Amino acid sequence: MMLSLVVPCYNEEGNVEKFLSETNRVFEGKVENYEFVFVNDGSSDGTYKKLKNLYAENSNVQVISFSRNFGKEAGIYAGLSKAKGDLVCLIDADLQQRPEVVLEMLDVLNSDEDIDCVTAYQEKRKENKLISGIKSFFYKIINKISDVDFVNGASDFRLMKRSMVDAILSMTEFHRFSKGIFSYVGFNTKYIPYTVAERESGESKWSFGKLFKYAFDGIFAFSTMPLKISTFIGFLSSLSSIIYLIVVVIQKLAFGIDVPGYATLVVLILLIGGIQLFCLGILGDYIARMYVQTKHRPVYILKEHLEHDNEEDN
């Protein structure tokens, strides 16, 4: 049985060599048949040069290189599509996700044939309280509005059987949100805790802005609740306007009170206009995603694929 390690890389020149040597050291005598599937996601540093050297020196290394940076989701999809193993593990190149945990995953998977996937989650996040709190809030929100379950702290770091990998690859949507896709395809998943190690080199590529965008991608990819919210807001706005009109008419006819003037009218116009733009923005985001999907653009564009079983670039 073969194990494939899918390793998305973006500006990881200081990590890839150490990652391979550490994994070989940990796997020695414990895992016999395995391969590395490195995905170079348009790195701007020397990552690709290091990966080509690793490919030349190791017969169990594949290197997939994109024409530009397409993002980690595209890297995951490409790596899964090229992995040859009966078991496939997603893991980062920075060694924060240790290969020793992969051995734990293998033990769990081998202990119960009914388990299809083993996913590592962080019991304690090594982040500031603000970021950690925002992530926890995101999971609470998305679990309330989505039809699939999201486990707080669960990462892309997981080991899957081939049947689950094939199911994930069958979902060819352009706007990919892997955490949701993993849950959507189902399969029996066992969650195990792990502790994030320190990065070997470099800095995290996830800024607050990217995390914020990623959260909204997840919400729009796996819930139509924002559309329902906009409908509710529109109904509430219309109802409020009718009530206001009735109150104004009663004030004028029954009590002779003058109708409020220009300032009130301007405030109402701005309020209703703002609500309309907000709802149109939500609708526009869904329409934009459909527009991009109908173009049938590839999730990524392959520049070069190095593999030892087929020396021709794909």
Side-chain angles (χ1 to χ4, degrees):
M1 184 172 288
M2 183 178 183
L3 167 66
S4 294
L5 295 172
V6 173
V7 193
C9 303
Y10 178 65
N11 292 346
E12 298 286 1
E13 66 174 334
N15 292 318
V16 290
E17 293 176 332
K18 180 68 172 177
F19 172 82
L20 185 138
S21 63
E22 274 292 286
T23 302
N24 284 335
R25 180 188 66 80
V26 172
F27 281 10
E28 186 176 4
K30 297 176 182 177
V31 183
E32 295 183 1
N33 190 14
Y34 61 96
E35 68 165 348
F36 298 90
V37 184
F38 290 102
V39 183
N40 175 42
D41 185 19
S43 298
S44 58
D45 61 358
T47 298
Y48 184 52
K49 183 177 180 180
K50 293 286 183 71
L51 291 178
K52 288 185 74 173
N53 291 336
L54 292 179
Y55 166 77
E57 297 167 359
N58 298 272
S59 61
N60 65 338
V61 168
Q62 285 191 60
V63 177
I64 302 165
S65 186
F66 291 169
S67 61
R68 63 170 176 83
N69 177 244
F70 283 88
K72 187 176 181 179
E73 292 292 340
I76 290 174
Y77 182 70
L80 293 180
S81 66
K82 301 298 183 183
K84 303 173 184 175
D86 306 290
L87 302 175
V88 181
C89 180
L90 292 172
I91 186 171
D92 290 341
D94 55 21
L95 284 173
Q96 286 190 294
Q97 300 170 346
R98 295 290 305 176
E100 289 88 349
V101 181
V102 179
L103 295 182
E104 294 180 35
M105 291 177 171
L106 285 169
D107 289 339
V108 173
L109 202 64
N110 292 329
S111 67
D112 188 345
E113 62 180 12
D114 291 330
I115 296 176
D116 303 298
C117 173
V118 182
T119 300
Y121 70 92
Q122 300 180 46
E123 275 189 312
K124 295 182 179 179
R125 293 185 182 274
K126 291 186 176 181
E127 301 166 330
N128 64 60
K129 292 184 178 180
L130 176 61
I131 296 295
S132 180
I134 290 173
K135 286 184 177 181
S136 296
F137 178 72
F138 163 73
Y139 280 106
K140 288 179 181 178
I141 292 296
I142 200 168
N143 277 318
K144 287 183 179 296
I145 65 177
S146 175
D147 293 331
V148 298
D149 294 326
F150 293 81
V151 176
N152 190 358
S155 64
D156 298 325
F157 187 22
R158 61 188 61 215
L159 177 68
M160 299 171 283
K161 290 182 178 178
R162 170 54 57 179
S163 55
M164 182 171 175
V165 173
D166 291 340
I168 292 168
L169 293 174
S170 71
M171 300 183 66
T172 57
E173 58 209 64
F174 182 83
H175 296 281
R176 303 187 68 79
F177 186 74
S178 290
K179 284 183 173 65
I181 292 174
F182 296 146
S183 297
Y184 181 85
V185 297
F187 294 90
N188 294 330
T189 300
K190 175 76 172 181
Y191 294 90
I192 64 171
Y194 86 109
T195 301
V196 176
E198 296 298 325
R199 285 181 63 91
E200 280 294 313
S201 175
E203 297 179 352
S204 173
K205 312 302 186 299
W206 289 98
S207 64
F208 180 79
K210 287 183 178 180
L211 287 172
F212 193 75
K213 180 180 180 299
Y214 188 66
F216 272 91
D217 284 343
I219 291 172
F220 281 105
F222 283 91
S223 176
T224 57
M225 184 58 71
L227 289 173
K228 296 175 183 177
I229 291 174
S230 64
T231 301
F232 175 75
I233 291 175
F235 171 77
L236 192 62
S237 174
S238 299
L239 182 62
S240 299
S241 300
I242 294 172
I243 293 173
Y244 178 77
L245 179 61
I246 292 172
V247 170
V248 167
V249 170
I250 292 175
Q251 284 179 333
K252 179 64 177 177
L253 297 179
F255 304 103
I257 300 175
D258 290 336
V259 177
Y262 179 75
T264 302
L265 183 61
V266 169
V267 170
L268 284 174
I269 291 173
L270 291 175
L271 175 62
I272 295 173
I275 291 173
Q276 289 176 333
L277 289 174
F278 173 76
C279 296
L280 284 174
I282 292 176
L283 183 61
D285 202 297
Y286 281 99
I287 293 174
R289 289 167 184 269
M290 290 189 289
Y291 170 71
V292 173
Q293 186 70 36
T294 57
K295 288 177 176 289
H296 300 294
R297 289 174 176 170
V299 177
Y300 63 91
I301 295 175
L302 192 62
K303 181 179 181 180
E304 190 173 25
H305 180 200
L306 303 175
E307 59 175 333
H308 288 279
D309 289 342
N310 180 11
E311 294 294 335
E312 294 182 2
D313 294 344
N314 293 323

